[in-house]
Amino acid sequence: MAELHIQAKLVNLLNQDNIQLRNPPYTTEDSEAGQQSLQELAVNYAPIVCISVSEVASALESLRSQAVKSGMGNKTYRETCVELFLPKDLKKYTKKNYYLETKLDVLAQDIMDRITEQYGLKYIQLIFKGKTLTPEKRLDEQNVKNKSKMMVLRVSVPERKKQMLAVEEEKKTQDQSVQRTQKGFQILSERDGTNDPATTPFLEIADQKGNPLKIPHSEKKALILAMGFHEKGRALMKRKQYEAALGHLVQADDQFVKCDSKLLNTVDNYAVLQLDIVWCYRALEALSYLDDGKRRLQMAEDCFHNCYGDQQQRLMKIKGNARGEEVLFLRLYLLQSILAHMVGKERQATQKLKQAEDLYGRLCLDPGDIKELKDLGFSEQEARLGLRACHGNVAEAALHITHRRQEREEMKQKEREKRRMCVEGLATLRELGYSKKDAAWALLQTDGDMDGAYRMLLDSAVRTNNTELPINQSKVEQLTYPGFEPEVALRLTGENIQVANQVVLPPELLSPFPASSLSEEPSTTSESACRTRMHALFPGSGSQGEAPMDVDLVNEVLKDIPLHEEDYLDLTLEEESEVIDKMKSYLYKNSASSS
């Protein structure tokens, strides 16, 4: 890791000075090292990177060797080799990293056997991008490509066996978790609310306050999978299981790509996902992902700008305040500082760290204030979010939390009323002869408005009957129920006279279809949303006839959906504090050494 860090800094300096090591005087015509020029360069760079001249010279030679191979267009290297980082004691005998010619459709164990034979290493592991390669799997199955870099790690006999078993078990567990998460949210994404609304949960895409968003069904499916994987990944991050979390977050990224770009540019979900992925890179010390991390942070910054607006004006207009989202920018600045430091851009790293420190100072909370709010009956999460939203004012935070609780309770009451109306409307429409599925579909389309659902079904029946034979007038004359529209009765019952005579049309269905009070607040659009969230409606134990395994999978993934709409903003800042201290020690140490 230290060697990669040194090389990254030197590459930056070489680029600034427009120096190409594969050219003279640093490389001779015979592709050998120009020792004197390299030594002079090492002497010049050593004080800048705060490393000994010998270490700089060694790193420069390694970079020169790589540049020569690349510049010569070595086809063998480009197309058939992988690069090995050998244990330190072996580098005494081979100054350069070892380039191993191999096909990619061979087992990792075959490569390990060749290394064992050549270097006398009896028990080893191959580390690729922070993960241990499985010996029984092929290289290409583990995403190893030509020119990939792998670390050779020496281990003892019992440790190797133990680690192999642990790695295999962990990988199996992670794969199963991803599969279960995908299956659970796939089941939920297929549901549209036409199942039994009293027992079968389904997910609704809502804005930051819980108001449902009108989204096409196909896009909604991809969005549910994306947000589902993201929430599972965030749950694992809270438990510090970063490798498992990263697997779920990458799946979320794949699903978000399938969503409408306009929606992703108006809500912050995609930006937060990019931050979470790079935060996992940091925790796993995955230095090989530097370029990808830089790209993702740029996407996050652009998305925040599009979503929140200049000076966060759009966010203020939608939410009323922007204090809660400052924790996201704290992480953004910290990660930008880390990446700048890793490539030797110390000034930029210091600038970003200063921005992060300023935000950290504003976001830190007095434990006494949190305790005071908890004593009033609020949760610790509510206390943190409320205090940050209200600039640390305890009294205002209490009012803010109470108001948000009232809003959530009103939303729950509307959901309960919607559920009651759906159940009653479903029963009434079924009495009129409609199938359970058609009735539930119509009620879903009209947000539970039974009058509107009946009108929709009736209109559909009329359009269908326009292409069929007219209703038999003799059957119309046989109807005995007074006050009922005979043609309507026969259409609803498939011209079954006996059933039509028994159907009693409720008085409200004879009205000119007044708007239901349930739909006073229409669904919002993405224009009025700064974030989308999954909202579980009508949670139950599963519908009748549903496979027990499906019920278990659904209940399992529903547990990872946070109850609080701002859960993603609730950071204790403990990790951030540790990162700030570590970055200060790195940067100030380098600053002191250079001065």
Side-chain angles (χ1 to χ4, degrees):
M1 183 181 303
E3 184 177 349
L4 289 176
H5 189 187
I6 296 171
Q7 290 185 8
K9 288 189 173 185
L10 291 175
V11 167
N12 188 54
L13 291 172
L14 291 168
N15 289 336
Q16 290 178 1
D17 296 340
N18 197 26
I19 293 176
Q20 295 184 349
L21 294 179
R22 66 171 178 264
N23 295 334
Y26 308 103
T27 298
T28 66
E29 294 181 357
D30 298 330
S31 298
E32 297 297 328
Q35 297 293 347
Q36 182 177 349
S37 297
L38 282 175
Q39 185 66 21
E40 292 175 355
L41 196 60
V43 171
N44 292 335
Y45 283 168
I48 300 176
V49 296
C50 305
I51 301 170
S52 68
V53 174
S54 61
E55 288 180 295
V56 174
S58 176
L60 287 173
E61 168 57 18
S62 179
L63 290 172
R64 188 201 67 82
S65 176
Q66 295 175 34
V68 169
K69 285 184 175 293
S70 177
M72 291 174 62
N74 191 313
K75 184 176 181 180
T76 302
Y77 169 68
R78 292 199 313 270
E79 299 181 359
T80 64
C81 283
V82 294
E83 184 176 357
L84 300 177
F85 288 86
L86 299 169
K88 289 184 177 180
D89 58 327
L90 290 180
K91 291 184 179 180
K92 298 176 182 177
Y93 308 101
T94 172
K95 294 182 179 180
K96 305 175 184 178
N97 291 328
Y98 178 54
Y99 298 98
L100 181 69
E101 185 175 351
T102 179
K103 295 180 179 179
L104 299 178
D105 58 355
V106 299
L107 298 179
Q109 184 63 56
D110 294 340
I111 304 300
M112 295 167 66
D113 292 342
R114 290 175 59 184
I115 295 172
T116 297
E117 181 179 355
Q118 182 162 350
Y119 289 99
L121 297 173
K122 192 172 183 181
Y123 301 109
I124 61 173
Q125 288 180 341
L126 295 180
I127 309 299
F128 175 60
K129 291 185 176 181
K131 297 182 179 180
T132 303
L133 293 183
T134 303
E136 294 77 17
K137 288 188 176 182
R138 301 184 339 185
L139 295 180
D140 53 4
E141 291 177 336
Q142 302 181 72
N143 297 320
V144 176
K145 297 178 175 57
N146 297 125
K147 299 176 65 175
S148 290
K149 299 178 180 181
M150 296 185 293
M151 180 183 293
V152 180
L153 183 66
R154 182 191 283 112
V155 295
S156 62
V157 180
E159 181 183 1
R160 177 175 182 269
K161 291 182 179 179
K162 182 179 179 180
Q163 289 182 351
M164 286 180 61
L165 290 174
V167 167
E168 291 176 4
E169 186 62 30
E170 182 179 0
K171 183 67 167 59
K172 181 180 178 181
T173 301
Q174 291 177 10
D175 290 343
Q176 289 176 344
S177 177
V178 170
Q179 292 169 7
R180 290 180 67 84
T181 300
Q182 181 166 2
K183 180 62 176 177
F185 282 107
Q186 276 181 339
I187 294 171
L188 286 167
S189 70
E190 295 292 340
R191 294 178 180 174
D192 55 8
T194 59
N195 301 95
D196 186 353
T199 59
T200 306
F202 74 100
L203 291 178
E204 193 170 63
I205 302 298
D207 66 9
Q208 62 280 351
K209 290 188 176 181
N211 299 308
L213 294 172
K214 290 295 187 182
I215 298 175
H217 183 62
S218 59
E219 186 175 340
K220 179 181 177 182
K221 290 173 60 177
L223 196 54
I224 285 177
L225 280 173
M227 295 170 68
F229 273 120
H230 192 182
E231 292 298 349
K232 180 66 177 181
R234 289 185 61 251
L236 291 167
M237 287 177 67
K238 290 180 179 179
R239 299 194 288 268
K240 303 293 191 295
Q241 298 176 14
Y242 290 107
E243 188 168 341
L246 186 58
H248 290 78
L249 297 177
V250 171
Q251 291 291 329
D253 190 56
D254 291 341
Q255 294 298 327
F256 266 123
V257 173
K258 302 176 184 178
C259 299
D260 179 41
S261 59
K262 181 180 179 182
L263 175 65
L264 295 185
N265 283 329
T266 56
V267 295
D268 64 7
N269 300 68
Y270 195 56
V272 175
L273 173 63
Q274 304 311 312
L275 278 186
D276 288 340
I277 289 176
V278 184
W279 195 256
C280 286
Y281 288 170
R282 173 207 63 82
L284 296 171
E285 297 184 347
L287 299 181
S288 57
Y289 290 99
L290 278 175
D291 291 338
D292 186 60
K294 181 179 179 181
R295 178 182 65 86
R296 290 186 184 278
L297 290 184
Q298 187 61 56
M299 285 195 298
E301 192 167 23
D302 293 343
C303 187
F304 281 138
H305 181 269
N306 293 333
C307 174
Y308 297 158
D310 294 330
Q311 305 299 318
Q312 301 183 0
Q313 294 171 346
R314 181 173 182 267
L315 181 63
M316 290 290 294
K317 181 179 179 181
I318 293 174
K319 290 188 63 177
N321 75 78
R323 286 298 303 274
E325 279 70 15
E326 287 186 339
V327 296
L328 303 177
F329 288 94
L330 169 58
R331 279 198 170 181
L332 175 65
Y333 297 150
L334 267 181
L335 291 170
Q336 288 174 333
S337 177
I338 293 172
L339 292 188
H341 171 62
M342 295 308 299
V343 296
K345 297 181 179 180
E346 307 298 330
R347 180 176 299 179
Q348 181 181 343
T350 302
Q351 178 186 0
K352 290 297 180 181
L353 181 61
K354 179 64 168 60
Q355 289 179 276
E357 281 190 283
D358 290 344
L359 274 180
Y360 178 79
R362 294 205 302 269
L363 293 170
C364 275
L365 301 173
D366 186 340
D369 292 341
I370 294 179
K371 183 179 183 303
E372 186 173 346
L373 287 172
K374 289 177 66 177
D375 290 341
L376 293 176
F378 301 125
S379 69
E380 185 171 332
Q381 182 182 64
E382 288 177 317
R384 275 194 296 268
L385 293 170
L387 286 169
R388 285 177 183 151
C390 300
H391 304 271
N393 188 302
V394 176
E396 290 182 8
L399 291 175
H400 174 81
I401 298 169
T402 301
H403 178 66
R404 292 299 298 128
R405 280 188 171 186
Q406 290 173 347
E407 287 183 334
R408 282 194 292 273
E409 185 57 34
E410 289 174 2
M411 191 67 66
K412 289 180 181 179
Q413 289 179 358
K414 289 180 181 179
E415 290 172 5
R416 286 193 288 267
E417 179 65 11
K418 184 175 181 179
R419 176 179 178 180
R420 184 187 66 80
M421 294 287 287
C422 281
V423 172
E424 292 179 358
L426 188 64
T428 300
L429 292 174
R430 293 203 67 190
E431 287 179 2
L432 295 176
Y434 292 106
S435 69
K436 181 178 179 181
K437 183 176 182 180
D438 289 345
W441 175 84
L443 287 167
L444 179 67
Q445 301 305 307
T446 58
D447 292 327
D449 180 359
M450 190 183 69
D451 296 345
Y454 172 70
R455 179 166 51 185
M456 178 177 288
L457 290 169
L458 185 60
D459 182 54
S460 177
V462 170
R463 289 199 305 270
T464 301
N465 284 324
N466 282 339
T467 63
E468 299 174 351
L469 295 174
I471 293 176
N472 192 323
Q473 290 300 310
S474 64
K475 292 184 178 181
V476 174
E477 296 172 357
Q478 296 179 48
L479 292 180
T480 60
Y481 182 75
F484 197 103
E485 292 292 339
E487 290 85 356
V488 173
L490 289 170
R491 285 195 179 101
L492 290 175
T493 60
E495 296 192 20
N496 187 315
I497 297 174
Q498 183 178 0
V499 175
N501 273 322
Q502 296 174 354
V503 170
V504 178
L505 189 64
E508 61 268 24
L509 292 186
L510 295 174
S511 68
F513 305 106
S516 169
S517 60
L518 187 64
S519 302
E520 290 177 358
E521 292 189 14
S523 299
T524 59
T525 66
S526 60
E527 297 300 322
S528 60
C530 61
R531 181 171 183 80
T532 59
R533 55 185 290 249
M534 290 184 297
H535 196 39
L537 298 179
F538 312 146
S541 57
S543 60
Q544 291 183 349
E546 190 173 9
M549 182 177 180
D550 288 354
V551 175
D552 291 341
L553 287 172
V554 167
N555 290 336
E556 180 180 313
V557 297
L558 286 176
K559 293 178 182 178
D560 292 318
I561 301 178
L563 297 177
H564 199 290
E565 67 277 4
E566 291 188 339
D567 180 81
Y568 71 109
L569 301 177
D570 180 34
L571 302 180
T572 63
L573 302 187
E574 292 176 1
E575 282 186 285
E576 288 75 9
S577 175
E578 293 176 1
V579 175
I580 288 175
D581 290 341
K582 187 176 293 186
M583 285 301 300
K584 286 171 67 176
S585 68
Y586 289 155
L587 294 174
Y588 295 161
K589 178 181 178 180
N590 289 346
S591 176
S593 300
S594 59
S595 61

